[in-house]
Amino acid sequence: MFKNMIVYRIAPTWQIGLEALEAALQKAPFTECGATQERSSGFVPPRGQAHGALAESVGGQWLLRFMQESKLLPASVLARKVQEKAARIEQETGRKPGKKESRELKDEAKLDLLPMAFTKQGSTWVWIDPSAHTLVLDTGSQGHADEIASVLTELLPGFALALLDTQTSPQAAMAHWLKEQEAPVGFSVDRECELKSADESKAVVRYARHPLDIDEVRAHIDAGKLPTKLALTWDERVSFLLTEGLQLKKISFLDSVFEGQDSADEGFDTDVAITTGELSKLIPDLIEALGGEGRSLEPTTAAPAATAIAGNTTAGSTTAPSTRGGRGTVTGPAQAPVDTDPNTAPF
């Protein structure tokens, strides 16, 4: 549960009960793809029980599960079917189909093939902390996260969102920690990072299972390479990979989290309690390590069904974390961080 994290802030004006949330989610339940349907998505019971609730509350934390299904239709198979249709027309009429007709043939071929295509399913954990006003999605793909956020804003009146934003960009902070060989309070630097050049060469240096408190790493930073990923451990309890877009990947709970835990005490409620209990403490500590929160959602002008997305800017300095202002009202889409790892999406 929660191997990745993309965090959004929820407008402070949004107030809703669990029953109202359940009623809203019931408007968008997951159903499998129809015969000629390419994709389908919706919410499923988090506990995995048929006809169960779509919103579960454990210790005041709300858990949802968003399911997607897509038809697997290889491009080569579709192209062959289109060629067969085009060859039949040429044989019968003596002419080759034009561009418009070729597009229509492609649509026809797709409809012919979709009922026979295999399907692929994938689900994403959705965590709403109503007291902290945060939405946390278990995905490493910004595009996939924005899709789920859009669905929620359409279903929930007043559910305006902004990507979590900090005064210091993660890239500037990571460069500072590596160059000074000093992690922020409560954190330790682990043995994995990626440095990327900002010039035309786009040179990349990766360290895996390697100490980072070495002169070579500082030399790369002095030469203009900036960190895009850095492995950290929080409070000797949770390890993760921080990215330049303020995403957390490869989240892992260490043995200290489970000390004193009864091995027989397992199941959905225990998993949720442990996961949300640890991560709800990690998030504010990480925000503090990055200079505090940046842009916020003001309580007076949040649009009922608008997804407001605020991104993190790229650092220009490598000597110390540079801060940035930019507080203000966010009511519509802004520029989101570049999705640097689109292949981690379920589809």
Side-chain angles (χ1 to χ4, degrees):
M1 183 178 286
F2 284 91
K3 298 299 182 183
N4 303 284
M5 280 175 48
I6 293 179
V7 184
Y8 293 82
R9 273 293 180 210
I10 304 172
T13 51
W14 185 72
Q15 301 289 338
I16 194 174
L18 188 63
E19 292 184 0
L21 174 62
E22 176 70 24
L25 297 178
Q26 290 291 343
K27 299 176 183 178
F30 171 76
T31 56
E32 295 183 353
C33 290
T36 58
Q37 188 178 0
E38 288 188 73
R39 296 178 74 253
S40 179
S41 62
F43 294 93
V44 297
R47 293 182 185 272
Q49 300 171 344
H51 311 297
L54 298 181
E56 293 284 351
S57 178
V58 178
Q61 305 297 326
W62 297 348
L63 265 291
L64 324 174
R65 198 172 184 184
F66 188 78
M67 178 74 74
Q68 283 188 314
E69 182 178 77
S70 63
K71 292 285 185 74
L72 302 177
L73 190 58
S76 59
V77 175
L78 180 59
R80 186 165 63 247
K81 188 72 172 178
V82 172
Q83 289 174 359
E84 290 174 1
K85 288 179 173 290
R88 190 179 303 115
I89 290 176
E90 186 173 359
Q91 183 179 7
E92 293 174 354
T93 65
R95 63 175 181 81
K96 292 184 177 181
K99 290 184 179 181
K100 181 180 179 181
E101 191 173 7
S102 295
R103 289 195 296 268
E104 293 173 349
L105 290 178
K106 185 176 181 179
D107 292 338
E108 290 178 10
K110 186 177 293 186
L111 290 175
D112 292 342
L113 293 170
L114 281 174
M116 299 178 287
F118 290 103
T119 59
K120 177 182 178 182
Q121 287 187 351
S123 63
T124 304
W125 289 108
V126 179
W127 165 27
I128 296 175
D129 186 336
S131 59
H133 283 85
T134 55
L135 168 70
V136 182
L137 304 177
D138 180 18
T139 177
S141 166
Q142 188 62 59
H144 183 51
D146 289 344
E147 179 182 358
I148 298 174
S150 295
V151 171
L152 288 171
T153 57
E154 291 174 4
L155 291 174
L156 304 171
F159 196 73
L161 297 172
L163 276 169
L164 182 65
D165 184 59
T166 54
Q167 293 288 338
T168 303
S169 75
Q171 193 166 59
M174 291 188 291
H176 178 70
W177 300 336
L178 286 171
K179 187 170 181 180
E180 300 300 322
Q181 298 183 1
E182 183 179 357
V185 176
F187 293 83
S188 60
V189 173
D190 293 338
R191 296 162 60 89
E192 180 180 354
C193 81
E194 178 182 273
L195 302 166
K196 187 176 294 186
S197 177
D199 59 24
E200 295 180 357
S201 69
K202 303 297 182 184
V204 177
V205 177
R206 296 186 179 92
Y207 291 89
R209 299 182 296 277
H210 195 287
L212 302 179
D213 54 346
I214 55 177
D215 292 338
E216 182 179 296
V217 171
R218 287 185 291 188
H220 281 303
I221 295 174
D222 288 337
K225 294 184 181 68
L226 295 173
T228 56
K229 299 175 184 177
L230 178 63
L232 298 167
T233 291
W234 168 77
D235 199 28
E236 299 183 354
R237 298 179 70 82
V238 183
S239 293
F240 60 94
L241 195 67
L242 178 64
T243 75
E244 61 182 329
L246 197 47
Q247 299 176 8
L248 276 64
K249 300 185 177 184
K250 297 184 179 181
I251 296 172
S252 176
F253 296 99
L254 306 186
D255 292 341
S256 57
V257 173
F258 305 99
E259 289 178 358
Q261 185 76 30
D262 189 344
S263 59
D265 187 15
E266 298 178 352
F268 178 83
D269 290 68
T270 301
D271 289 344
V272 172
I274 291 175
T275 300
T276 59
E278 296 297 326
L279 298 181
S280 62
K281 298 173 186 175
L282 185 158
I283 292 172
D285 282 1
L286 181 60
I287 292 173
E288 183 178 353
L290 294 172
E293 200 152 355
R295 187 183 305 195
S296 63
L297 285 171
E298 296 297 334
T300 55
T301 55
T307 304
I309 302 171
N312 289 286
T313 59
T314 301
S317 170
T318 61
T319 56
S322 58
T323 59
R324 41 194 181 151
R327 284 185 173 273
T329 302
V330 185
T331 57
Q335 183 65 38
V338 175
D339 193 352
T340 59
D341 196 2
N343 293 327
T344 60
F347 302 97

